[in-house]
Amino acid sequence: MAISDFIGGIDPLEENTLEYDFYCDSCQSHLNPQDKFDHSASSWKCTSCGKENNLLQKIEKELKKL
């Protein structure tokens, strides 16, 4: 399921909307440059430590700041 499915069909990560750097909750590795990283996915498994990170939750927190 994509992030846009949860917030009314608007993808906050599309160009000219919200730019966000994702970091692993466990090891703090930068997730964006990881091989095949999908910023539109609702979660991502860190390739450094194997922790499943909830990207949707991270985006929701950022949207609340706007």
Side-chain angles (χ1 to χ4, degrees):
M1 192 168 286
I3 291 171
S4 60
D5 295 334
F6 290 96
I7 53 175
I10 299 170
D11 188 345
L13 296 175
E14 286 296 320
E15 187 176 342
N16 299 321
T17 56
L18 177 65
E19 293 181 20
Y20 187 72
D21 286 321
F22 293 98
Y23 293 90
C24 179
D25 292 331
S26 180
C27 71
Q28 302 304 312
S29 290
H30 192 200
L31 301 176
N32 298 59
Q34 292 185 358
D35 190 37
K36 299 182 182 178
F37 178 75
D38 181 3
H39 71 269
S40 67
S42 59
S43 65
W44 179 258
K45 186 174 184 177
C46 178
T47 59
S48 296
C49 72
K51 164 80 173 161
E52 189 75 26
N53 290 270
N54 185 332
L55 303 183
L56 177 61
Q57 184 178 53
K58 292 174 186 293
I59 288 296
E60 287 174 340
K61 286 180 184 177
E62 287 302 306
L63 288 174
K64 288 178 183 178
K65 294 179 185 178
L66 297 178

